[in-house]
Amino acid sequence: MKEKTKKDIYHIHDKSYKDLYSKKEIALDLLKNFVNKEFTKELRAEDLTLVNKSYIASDYEESESDIVYKAKIGDSEAIFYILLEFQSRVDYTMPIRLLFYICEILREYCKNAKHDKNDKNIKIPVVVPIVLYNGTKVWDAPNEFRKMFYNEDKFHNGILNFTYDIM
């Protein structure tokens, strides 16, 4: 009988959590109770659509999984990118990795939307990154992208920025 490796154990946890959060009601509970922002208060399960696509790069597959939901919130569309992080260590590159995932989501959205580049009313959906972490150490990686830049405070609002929730 094959002995279970650490990789096998992560894969079991990965699949279990992905199966769990693939249920709209569980994802909705996460969004309402942990993200707990104004835009989640009126959100209902029927507003959520699970996107059956992963944005995880092959060099990260062993340690994590992702769940992506689209939601209609009022007259806006939002995409919730939930990164399920099962490493027992803090990942200080997380803001950069999330940027790559956000860019891939938006690139695919724009490719499928086939916007007219002359349309001055083009809008894209908001992407809300969420990291679920179950490690033992306190997550002390920056949760604001701008903190990754050298001397970010000198550039004020002139640099790209987003935050993510860690749960």
Side-chain angles (χ1 to χ4, degrees):
M1 183 170 183
K2 182 181 152 194
E3 182 180 323
K4 286 205 183 290
T5 65
K6 197 171 189 178
K7 179 179 171 183
D8 294 330
I9 291 168
Y10 280 128
H11 182 71
I12 290 166
H13 286 290
D14 187 47
K15 181 167 176 12
S16 298
Y17 279 109
K18 191 162 187 166
D19 288 346
L20 179 68
Y21 287 105
S22 292
K23 294 175 179 42
K24 288 183 185 184
E25 293 75 16
I26 304 292
L28 181 63
D29 188 57
L30 171 79
L31 294 170
K32 284 182 169 267
N33 293 307
F34 290 99
V35 175
N36 194 22
K37 301 264 187 333
E38 191 62 37
F39 64 85
T40 63
K41 289 188 184 350
E42 301 300 318
L43 202 56
R44 302 165 308 176
E46 55 268 19
D47 297 328
L48 294 174
T49 304
L50 182 63
V51 176
N52 193 16
K53 179 166 176 35
S54 180
Y55 295 91
I56 296 292
S58 60
D59 49 342
Y60 293 116
E61 306 186 314
E62 290 182 12
S63 61
E64 64 200 37
S65 181
D66 60 349
I67 300 283
V68 180
Y69 278 98
K70 288 192 305 186
K72 193 76 170 158
I73 301 174
D75 61 352
S76 300
E77 182 178 42
I79 298 173
F80 297 101
Y81 181 82
I82 303 172
L83 180 64
L84 306 174
E85 181 71 30
F86 299 112
Q87 297 174 351
S88 58
R89 61 180 176 74
V90 176
D91 185 342
Y92 294 99
T93 66
M94 188 56 68
I96 296 168
R97 290 172 48 202
L98 288 171
L99 174 66
F100 296 153
Y101 302 144
I102 291 167
C103 288
E104 281 306 307
I105 290 168
L106 292 176
R107 181 187 336 256
E108 182 169 296
Y109 172 84
C110 289
K111 181 178 80 173
N112 293 332
K114 296 183 171 95
H115 290 122
D116 177 356
K117 62 183 172 186
N118 296 314
D119 180 358
K120 64 181 177 182
N121 297 313
I122 291 175
K123 298 289 183 193
I124 59 175
V126 172
V127 179
V128 180
I130 301 165
V131 176
L132 299 179
Y133 169 68
N134 71 345
T136 56
K137 288 181 65 179
V138 171
W139 186 275
D140 61 351
N143 74 333
E144 189 175 8
F145 183 72
R146 72 178 293 130
K147 299 295 182 190
M148 300 299 295
F149 292 104
Y150 292 110
N151 299 313
E152 55 89 16
D153 54 331
K154 292 182 180 180
F155 298 98
H156 309 285
N157 292 331
I159 58 176
L160 177 64
N161 194 34
F162 66 86
T163 60
Y164 65 94
D165 289 307
I166 184 80
M167 295 170 218

